[in-house]
Amino acid sequence: MTFTVADFHCDVLSKLLVDPKLSFRNSESNALDVTYERLKESGAVLQTFAVYIPEKLNGSIEPILESIDHFYEQVLTCPDMMLVRNQADLREGLATGKIGALLSLEGVDGLQGSIPILRLLHRLGVRAAGLTWNYANWAADGVMEPRGGGLTAKGRAFVQECDNLGILVDVSHLSERAFWDVADLASRTIIASHSNAKALLNHPRNLTDEQIKAILALQGLIGVTYVPWFVAEGEQVTIDHVLRHIEHICELGGEQHLMLGSDFDGIDKYVSGLTHPGEVYRLREALLKRYTEQQTKQFLSGNALSFLAAHLPV
């Protein structure tokens, strides 16, 4: 059986924004975890590229547009990368052996509540959006905001327009109250692109069992992430620790709702043996010791691809 990989979150564009001299095409630079060469090596069929703006640059639309320009100029110019905007693009990429590139927002601060700008970003290819990073903005509170507020009126309008446009709403960084606001409001499904189980590690960025069950009830997806401090306590965090989160979500009924959300290039410490896409084969080997080939295939890419085939715009 051939194993392919779909990863729903990396922060390459943020590093390119801060240092445009970095090269996505070339793996010789150790400054990037995710590169074109490593994606090819890993058997990737889909990679989501998040637009995350560092706090010192955040607040206006310019760095968001610059990040999207890097996506077009550095990522999509690689010969076997292609933009995925709809179901037809996804089918074409899989049929031709190209790596699908999905564009997402990680925080919408720079939109300043503008629905017309959201529509323009949709035309540029944005197909997933997380409303916040860790703190509060005009749309909602993030998980680290002490007051723990929910969606604002503008945030509600934003979620509704995402539903209208076919942009997936990503709840990974939302406060619990904002999470439930989105879950109650979304007329379509939702995703958590890079979050683990709070029952195993009580970190604010992880999901409670109730949140996990809500995502499953909405037929959404949860991207198990390799961020060490979301996986386990201690200095030596291993792939076996990652598997425990997969196992827990499966126990809650999530076997068909699991995907990967590495957060490569968004971290400076790593799960042992899992430092870039070229090492994901180690996760595959560990999965095969506990799960069938079919289950492993679903976790690595099958669930994500089936989900996108159903929920991307036609």
Side-chain angles (χ1 to χ4, degrees), residues 14 17-18 52-60 63 106 109-110 133-136 144-145:
S14 181
L17 176 68
V18 173
Y52 165 69
I53 308 303
E55 289 182 84
K56 64 182 179 181
L57 301 175
N58 203 10
S60 69
E106 186 176 22
D109 305 53
W133 187 58
N134 284 338
Y135 302 103
M144 305 300 286
E145 190 66 37

Coordinates of all heavy atoms in Angstrom, one line a residue, residues 14 17-18 52-60 63 106 109-110 133-136 144-145:
S14 N 5.4 32.6 7.3 CA 5.8 33.6 8.3 C 7.3 33.8 8.3 O 7.8 34.9 8.4 CB 5.3 33.1 9.7 OG 5.7 34.0 10.7
L17 N 8.2 35.8 5.3 CA 7.9 37.2 5.5 C 9.0 37.9 6.3 O 9.3 39.0 5.9 CB 6.5 37.3 6.3 CG 6.0 38.7 6.6 CD1 5.7 39.5 5.4 CD2 4.9 38.6 7.6
V18 N 9.5 37.3 7.3 CA 10.5 37.9 8.2 C 11.8 37.9 7.4 O 12.6 38.9 7.6 CB 10.6 37.1 9.5 CG1 11.8 37.7 10.3 CG2 9.3 37.3 10.3
Y52 N 0.5 33.5 9.0 CA 0.6 33.9 10.4 C 1.5 35.1 10.5 O 2.7 35.1 10.0 CB 1.2 32.8 11.3 CG 1.7 33.3 12.7 CD1 0.7 33.8 13.6 CD2 3.0 33.4 13.0 CE1 1.2 34.3 14.8 CE2 3.4 33.9 14.2 CZ 2.5 34.4 15.1 OH 2.9 34.9 16.3
I53 N 1.0 36.2 11.0 CA 1.8 37.5 11.1 C 2.4 37.6 12.5 O 1.6 37.7 13.5 CB 0.9 38.7 10.7 CG1 0.2 38.4 9.4 CG2 1.8 39.9 10.6 CD1 1.1 38.1 8.2
P54 N 3.7 37.7 12.7 CA 4.3 37.9 14.0 C 3.7 39.2 14.6 O 3.4 40.1 13.9 CB 5.8 38.0 13.7 CG 6.0 37.3 12.4 CD 4.7 37.5 11.6
E55 N 3.6 39.2 15.9 CA 3.0 40.3 16.6 C 3.6 41.7 16.3 O 2.9 42.7 16.2 CB 3.1 40.1 18.2 CG 2.2 39.0 18.6 CD 2.2 38.8 20.2 OE1 1.5 39.5 20.8 OE2 3.0 38.0 20.6
K56 N 4.9 41.7 16.1 CA 5.5 43.0 15.8 C 5.1 43.6 14.4 O 5.3 44.8 14.2 CB 7.1 42.9 15.8 CG 7.7 41.9 14.8 CD 9.1 41.8 14.9 CE 9.7 40.8 13.9 NZ 11.2 40.7 14.0
L57 N 4.6 42.7 13.5 CA 4.2 43.2 12.2 C 2.6 43.2 12.1 O 2.1 43.6 11.0 CB 4.8 42.2 11.1 CG 6.3 42.1 11.1 CD1 6.7 41.1 10.0 CD2 6.9 43.5 10.7
N58 N 1.9 42.8 13.1 CA 0.5 42.5 13.0 C -0.3 43.7 13.0 O 0.1 44.7 13.6 CB 0.1 41.5 14.1 CG -1.2 40.8 13.7 OD1 -1.6 40.8 12.6 ND2 -1.7 40.1 14.7
G59 N -1.5 43.7 12.4 CA -2.5 44.8 12.6 C -2.9 45.4 11.3 O -3.9 46.1 11.3
S60 N -2.2 45.2 10.2 CA -2.7 45.8 8.9 C -2.7 44.7 7.8 O -2.2 43.6 8.0 CB -1.7 46.9 8.5 OG -0.5 46.4 8.1
P63 N 1.2 43.0 5.6 CA 1.9 41.7 5.7 C 1.2 40.5 5.3 O 1.8 39.5 4.9 CB 2.3 41.7 7.2 CG 1.3 42.7 7.9 CD 1.0 43.7 6.9
E106 N -4.1 32.4 9.8 CA -4.0 32.1 11.3 C -4.0 33.4 12.0 O -3.0 34.0 12.4 CB -2.6 31.3 11.6 CG -2.6 30.9 13.0 CD -1.3 30.1 13.3 OE1 -0.3 30.2 12.5 OE2 -1.3 29.3 14.3
D109 N -6.5 39.6 12.3 CA -6.3 40.9 12.8 C -6.2 42.0 11.7 O -6.9 43.0 11.8 CB -5.0 41.0 13.7 CG -5.0 40.0 14.8 OD1 -5.2 38.8 14.5 OD2 -4.7 40.4 16.0
G110 N -5.4 41.7 10.7 CA -5.2 42.7 9.6 C -6.3 43.0 8.8 O -6.3 44.0 8.0
W133 N -5.0 34.3 16.8 CA -3.9 33.6 17.3 C -4.2 33.3 18.8 O -5.3 32.9 19.1 CB -2.6 34.3 17.0 CG -1.3 33.5 17.3 CD1 -1.0 32.2 16.8 CD2 -0.3 33.8 18.3 NE1 0.1 31.8 17.4 CE2 0.6 32.7 18.3 CE3 -0.1 34.8 19.2 CZ2 1.7 32.7 19.1 CZ3 1.0 34.8 20.0 CH2 1.9 33.7 19.9
N134 N -3.3 33.6 19.7 CA -3.6 33.3 21.1 C -4.3 34.3 21.9 O -4.8 34.1 23.0 CB -2.3 33.0 21.8 CG -1.7 31.6 21.5 OD1 -2.5 30.7 21.0 ND2 -0.4 31.4 21.6
Y135 N -4.4 35.6 21.3 CA -5.0 36.7 22.1 C -6.2 37.2 21.4 O -6.8 36.7 20.5 CB -3.9 37.7 22.3 CG -2.7 37.1 23.1 CD1 -1.5 36.8 22.4 CD2 -2.8 36.8 24.4 CE1 -0.4 36.2 23.0 CE2 -1.7 36.2 25.1 CZ -0.6 35.9 24.4 OH 0.5 35.3 25.0
A136 N -6.7 38.4 21.9 CA -7.9 38.9 21.4 C -7.7 39.8 20.2 O -6.6 40.5 20.1 CB -8.6 39.8 22.5
M144 N -5.3 32.3 25.1 CA -4.5 32.9 26.1 C -5.0 34.2 26.6 O -4.4 34.9 27.5 CB -3.1 33.1 25.6 CG -2.4 31.8 25.1 SD -2.3 30.5 26.3 CE -1.0 31.1 27.4
E145 N -6.2 34.7 26.1 CA -6.8 36.0 26.6 C -7.4 35.7 27.9 O -8.4 34.9 28.0 CB -7.8 36.5 25.6 CG -8.2 37.9 25.8 CD -7.1 38.9 25.7 OE1 -6.3 38.8 24.8 OE2 -7.1 39.9 26.5

